[in-house]
Amino acid sequence: MGQRALIFGISLFAIGSAMAADPATINWTKIPAVKVPLFYPGQSSYEWLLTDAHSKTDKVKSGETCVSCHDKADADKLKPKSMGDKIVAGGPLEPMPVKGKNGYVDLNVQAAYDDKNAYLRYQWKTQQNHPGTEHQYLRFDGKEWKVYGYPQLDKVVQDGAQPGIYEDRMSIMIDDGKVPGFANQGCWLTCHEGQRDMPKLATKEEVAANPLLSAIKKGDVRKYLPATRHNPSDWATGKSVEEIAKLKADGAFVDLIQWRAHRSHAVGMADDGYVLEWRLADAGKDMFGGNADKATRQPKFMWDEKKVGYKSITVDQLRKGDHFLIREQNAVPFDPNAGWKEGDMIADYIVSREDAKGSAADNNAIASWKDGMWTVVMIRPLGLANDDDKALKPGGVYNVGFAVHDDNITTRGHFVSFSKTLGIGAKKGKVDINAVKLP
Ligand code: HEC
């Protein structure tokens, strides 16, 4: 598992950077490990925290940190584990519970750095006894290629009409102190009503009629920061594109790095994005893209039979291998006349390290899944100067939030942490996680 990516990572670092440690040989037993509790948040949005449903609205408004109440030794029911277990089972914050889903996960975090990079190592246990390296497919139904496999919060999965298939993920949001409120409220600043799988889901018509979202050509509402709206609790009240560009130039955005067990892990990378008026990808080109042709809805690529022994898979092959479709390694252009049969399946995303470009291609990762546990090392270059990145610097202290997507789920179905501090060899003050300088 992940062998391909591992080999790729090693060769990359051997060629790429003389000053950088080979991340595959870092002795992590010497680096302190911090246990970060992650819990299932359901629909506990920025707006929900300010309603009477969350009793301490005045304290949240005045900016008191979540952990000041939610991490006290004497208040068990307010601790992440109790909250997650309660919310995931269904109730006001979870209208469509996934049967048997865990409410909580312990995330082990270690951090190191050298002259070139920061190395963030994460470990967590998956609920299933296989890793979530597969993502949705295109399936031939005898006539057409249709998406097969959806996240578990979707009605089609809960009704049994589709299987739950969605990649695992490990994400970090990073603020360098320029985002008001992030230090206290963390990821909850970005999570709002109107978003996918959240209350008051914005309709296509509402989105199309919205000046900001039509200006930035988006078809739905995603994570945003309060400062990008005239009324932070109303996604529809977007500021002008010029005002938002000013916020970006002032650094008032959070970096969002997502390691994706299918769409970035396949090529030894993590993606690179940021949250401001939407959840945006950095400039350049991501390492993944859709494999369905927009006009014909047929796949653009299929597997190279000469290299992997098959052009497509069938449902009985699920969870038996990674089934990555990698443009430069095992893909060839789709042949519509290859005698396709009902039930043939091809990955719905094509992944490529070679095609990833610019600021979107900054982050590497090495990951493996063994005995029910993911180990992921994100490799982030220090001192990035792009206008959509937070530059990590030796001595710097950052506010971070972590998320894990486990067991075929997306949107509110992830586990999240309260805001933590990450130091890169920080000398002064106390930080939750401090990256250790490598010898
Ligand atoms: C001043 C104390 C205080 C602060 C600050 C606070 N909370 Fe709470 N929170 C509570 C209490 C008390 C409850 C449970 C009772 C209630 O909701 O009335 C609660 C409940 C919750 C629940 C629901 C748990 C359940 O059982 O359904 C979530 C989620 C939550 N808080 C998240 C947050 C987040 C996120 C923050 C920071 C942005 C935060 N809280 C800040 C006191 C606080």
Side-chain angles (χ1 to χ4, degrees), residues 94-112:
E94 184 44 82
M96 291 175 72
V98 172
K99 234 177 137 199
K101 184 168 176 59
N102 291 341
Y104 174 87
V105 74
D106 268 325
L107 182 70
N108 227 36
V109 185
Q110 293 169 284

Side-chain angles (χ1 to χ4, degrees), residues 371-422:
D371 301 334
M373 169 102 82
W374 269 120
T375 300
V376 175
V377 180
M378 279 180 187
I379 302 147
R380 165 75 164 191
L382 296 180
L384 289 173
N386 308 312
D387 67 355
D388 44 24
D389 280 320
K390 292 289 163 185
L392 298 181
K393 293 179 183 149
V397 174
Y398 306 85
N399 307 303
V400 295
F402 301 104
V404 160
H405 289 76
D406 179 48
D407 193 13
N408 306 292
I409 210 148
T410 187
T411 61
R412 68 174 187 262
H414 54 2
F415 302 111
V416 292
S417 77
F418 289 124
S419 177
K420 299 278 158 190
T421 48
L422 168 71

Side-chain angles (χ1 to χ4, degrees), residues 172-186:
I172 178 173
M173 272 192 208
I174 307 171
D175 158 48
D176 54 359
K178 291 182 177 159
V179 177
F182 194 87
N184 301 333
Q185 299 194 15

Side-chain angles (χ1 to χ4, degrees), residues 39 44 48-49 53-56 59-60 64-66 68-70 77-78 83 86-87 93 185 188 418:
F39 70 101
S44 60
W48 177 85
L49 285 168
H54 185 261
S55 58
K56 307 286 179 181
K59 297 276 170 70
V60 175
E64 199 165 307
T65 64
C66 312
S68 70
C69 301
H70 284 287
K77 94 175 169 79
L78 294 185
M83 290 201 293
K86 182 179 153 207
I87 296 169
L93 288 174
Q185 299 194 15
W188 277 265
F418 289 124

Side-chain angles (χ1 to χ4, degrees), residues 96 148 150-152 154-164:
M96 291 175 72
Y148 181 79
Y150 285 80
Q152 289 209 80
D154 282 26
K155 200 168 174 298
V156 282
V157 177
Q158 300 206 350
D159 290 350
Q162 285 274 346

